[in-house]
């Protein structure tokens, strides 16, 4: 008889970075619904506290902590606070990210540093800091939110595509290095997802036409669809999966 549910995180402590809005908010909600207690990180703590209030009926333990993934000092303080609060970390979801859409010839050094420090450097040092604890415990799962832009090229997204492509290969490298310690590392590569930022971008007729033409299923992804894939990879049902990046993209990268 089957004994594993793909949507069970009972008893696990799950960190979600960038949890205050969009995909991160949905990931936090579905992780809690799957049984997890949460450590939520963001530069905007009031958004986290509002989410915690919404999740109160689930009766989960939730810590809302300030986090700036571009700062190693902030990452270290956040991780230590999470351990002080719960005593262990079972799952890390590296969701925090940012982008500036510009032609390559207009990208400034400040644009490059912000995008790469947030999406790639922050993802690595969060993984490193939490990974110390997971390696010592010989148990853990990390899920990195990359992007379809890390798998295929696209105009006006050069630093973002480079950073997210780095996340894909970093996921493979960490998975290989930490497999012997029982730590799994996987990724999710979402397509354009229905968040407030994407809805704003979709007001541009040319962008909207390009996106819908590129997705064979003919629609944007919903945040819940990304979140449920994360819950699966974080769960014990995915215990033989590591080093993979799952494209949740409606077929964009299959074309």
């Amino acid at each position: 008889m089957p004994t594993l549910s793909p949507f069970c995180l009972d008893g696990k402590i799950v960190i979600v970075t960038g949890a205050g809005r969009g995909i991160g908010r949905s990931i936090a909600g579905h992780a809690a619904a799957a049984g997890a207690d949460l450590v939520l990180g963001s530069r905007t703590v009031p958004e986290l506290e509002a989410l915690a209030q919404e999740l109160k009926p689930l009766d989960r333990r939730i810590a809302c902590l300030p986090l700036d993934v571009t700062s190693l000092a902030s990452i270290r303080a956040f991780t230590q606070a999470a351990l002080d609060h719960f005593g262990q970390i079972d799952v890390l979801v590296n969701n925090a990210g940012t982008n500036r859409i510009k032609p390559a010839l207009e990208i400034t050094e400040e644009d490059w540093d912000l995008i790469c420090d947030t999406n790639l450097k922050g993802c690595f040092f969060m993984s490193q800091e939490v990974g110390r604890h997971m390696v010592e415990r010989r148990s853990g799962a990390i899920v990195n939110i990359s992007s379809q832009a890390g798998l295929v090229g696209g105009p006006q997204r050069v630093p973002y595509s480079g950073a997210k492509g780095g996340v894909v290969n970093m996921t493979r490298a960490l998975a290989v290095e930490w497999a012997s310690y029982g730590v799994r590392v996987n990724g999710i590569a979402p397509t354009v997802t229905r968040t407030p930022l994407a809805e704003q971008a979709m007001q541009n007729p040319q962008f909207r036409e390009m996106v819908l033409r590129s997705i064979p299923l003919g629609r944007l992804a919903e945040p819940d669809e990304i979140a449920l894939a994360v819950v699966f990879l974080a769960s014990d049902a995915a215990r033989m999966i590591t080093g993979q990046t799952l494209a949740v993209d409606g077929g964009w990268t299959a074309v």
Side-chain angles (χ1 to χ4, degrees):
M1 293 290 291
T3 59
L4 291 175
S5 166
F7 301 107
C8 180
L9 296 176
D10 287 348
K12 294 187 183 295
I13 309 300
V14 176
I15 288 177
V16 184
T17 70
R21 61 185 70 177
I23 292 172
R25 185 180 181 87
S26 186
I27 292 169
H30 279 283
D37 295 318
L38 302 175
V39 184
L40 306 180
S42 173
R43 289 180 294 182
T44 312
V45 174
E47 289 183 342
L48 305 179
E49 292 170 340
L51 174 58
Q53 279 298 115
E54 288 184 23
L55 298 177
K56 201 168 184 179
L58 295 175
D59 196 28
R60 303 295 182 231
R61 296 177 295 165
I62 301 176
C64 300
L65 302 174
L67 173 64
D68 176 359
V69 299
T70 68
S71 164
L72 185 53
S74 179
I75 288 170
R76 287 173 173 166
F78 172 87
T79 304
Q80 188 57 56
L83 289 170
D84 290 344
H85 195 88
F86 285 116
Q88 69 183 60
I89 300 165
D90 300 292
V91 176
L92 166 63
V93 182
N94 280 310
N95 169 74
T98 194
N99 193 15
R100 289 179 178 174
I101 298 174
K102 287 185 177 182
L105 296 179
E106 297 178 14
I107 294 294
T108 66
E109 184 178 16
E110 191 269 335
D111 293 329
W112 180 274
D113 289 346
L114 174 67
I115 293 167
C116 293
D117 284 358
T118 303
N119 292 291
L120 181 57
K121 178 182 172 182
C123 182
F124 171 73
F125 282 105
M126 275 300 309
S127 298
Q128 183 192 64
E129 200 63 24
V130 175
R132 296 184 200 279
H133 167 73
M134 291 181 170
V135 165
E136 184 177 333
R137 290 184 64 222
R138 305 187 73 84
S139 176
I142 296 173
V143 183
N144 296 322
I145 304 301
S146 180
S147 169
Q148 69 182 27
L151 301 174
V152 295
Q156 301 191 51
R157 291 163 177 79
V158 172
Y160 185 77
S161 293
K164 290 300 191 179
V167 169
V168 171
N169 223 30
M170 183 181 73
T171 296
R172 295 188 184 106
L174 287 176
V176 171
E177 186 165 338
W178 290 347
S180 62
Y181 299 101
V183 178
R184 298 185 299 106
V185 187
N186 289 294
I188 298 288
T191 190
V192 180
T193 303
R194 196 181 304 281
T195 63
L197 189 62
E199 291 279 19
Q200 182 179 354
M202 291 290 280
Q203 298 304 309
N204 180 315
Q206 290 79 25
F207 180 76
R208 179 181 179 84
E209 192 276 333
M210 182 276 292
V211 167
L212 295 181
R213 183 183 68 244
S214 299
I215 301 175
L217 288 182
R219 63 174 178 84
L220 302 188
E222 300 295 335
D224 289 349
E225 294 170 320
I226 310 304
L228 290 169
V230 172
V231 169
F232 167 68
L233 287 176
S235 77
D236 289 342
R239 61 189 179 184
M240 193 56 181
I241 301 173
T242 196
Q244 305 303 309
T245 295
L246 174 62
V248 185
D249 67 350
W252 186 314
T253 58
V255 176

